[in-house]
Amino acid sequence: MSNMYTRLINQQHPLPEGYIPEHLVDIGIPFDALPGDSKRLLEMKTARAALRLISASQRDGLSLYGVSGYRSYSRQKQLCTGSPYVAAPGTSEHQSGLALDLSCPAVRMELVEEFAHTPEGIWLARNASLFGFILRYPKGKEDITGVPYEPWHIRYVTKPLATYLTLTGLTLEEYHQLPQHRKSDNPIQ
Ligand SMILES: [Zn+2]
């Protein structure tokens, strides 16, 4: 399949209405939601990568928690209230199972900009790419992503692409606009 992990999902590139990712799992990462809650679900490879990421952060003495993983199309529709942080149904990466919002007790498990200044948020920004994730909505790229700065939202794109995007500072939007020959410099394409 033309790599689902590198797929661009945004306002202009929505997922199909009935899209449900294959192999959604609750792999048991620390989560600010009770077992059985569907927001704990992630696509299988994403879940494994998230588990490695959180385990590594724990070894560094940190307390990262999942706040929101998978979100179904219908759930997204219920949540969509016109807030700039809440994407229209089909345009949320959370519907793909490839995105995860993280927080920590220092900011009361909230999804707030202050998270970026906690040890957990700083660690996440520095280390997410080692596990195949990018900070999908960086500061200063709001005009390109169309989404406000979200230091808590990570997206699984595989390690080679996460490394490439982190080194170049490109967003997923900018990456998808590159000419094909530039993309082919990237080992995964
Ligand atoms: Zn998110």
Side-chain angles (χ1 to χ4, degrees):
M1 86 181 82
S2 139
N3 210 327
M4 67 180 274
Y5 296 109
T6 64
R7 178 175 190 155
L8 180 61
I9 303 157
N10 63 18
Q11 200 78 36
Q12 290 76 36
H13 302 86
L15 291 165
E17 177 162 346
Y19 182 82
I20 297 172
E22 280 181 72
H23 309 306
L24 283 171
V25 295
D26 178 355
I27 205 162
I29 62 174
F31 225 101
D32 188 35
L34 293 172
D37 192 321
S38 65
K39 67 166 83 160
R40 295 171 56 111
L41 298 174
L42 290 168
E43 181 277 334
M44 177 78 85
K45 275 184 77 170
T46 308
R48 288 192 185 133
L51 182 60
R52 282 193 289 271
L53 179 148
I54 292 191
S55 301
S57 75
Q58 287 173 337
R59 286 195 292 276
D60 286 349
L62 301 171
S63 304
L64 279 169
Y65 285 79
V67 174
S68 195
Y70 173 64
R71 206 178 290 149
S72 69
Y73 183 92
S74 54
R75 177 87 184 112
Q76 188 70 28
K77 212 167 174 178
Q78 288 168 11
L79 287 174
C80 188
T81 53
S83 155
Y85 288 103
V86 182
T91 70
S92 170
E93 290 196 326
H94 287 281
Q95 201 186 320
S96 69
L98 305 175
L100 176 63
D101 295 333
L102 293 164
S103 191
C104 63
V107 292
R108 308 159 303 276
M109 304 296 189
E110 289 172 10
L111 303 179
V112 288
E113 263 197 55
E114 301 157 67
F115 171 69
H117 308 296
T118 63
E120 283 79 4
I122 293 165
W123 186 96
L124 185 66
R126 284 192 185 140
N127 294 287
S129 69
L130 302 176
F131 304 90
F133 291 94
I134 55 168
L135 263 65
R136 179 68 177 83
Y137 307 118
K139 198 173 199 152
K141 298 274 189 168
E142 295 87 345
D143 288 350
I144 297 165
T145 63
V147 174
Y149 175 42
E150 292 193 357
W152 58 84
H153 178 112
I154 58 171
R155 156 75 192 271
Y156 185 69
V157 293
T158 74
K159 265 193 244 181
L161 185 56
T163 305
Y164 179 81
L165 294 178
T166 302
L167 289 175
T168 57
L170 295 177
T171 61
L172 203 54
E173 276 80 8
E174 292 166 300
Y175 174 73
H176 280 273
Q177 284 159 9
L178 290 178
Q180 201 54 46
H181 72 276
R182 290 270 315 275
K183 280 203 238 181
S184 65
D185 295 345
N186 183 331
I188 64 162
Q189 289 295 323

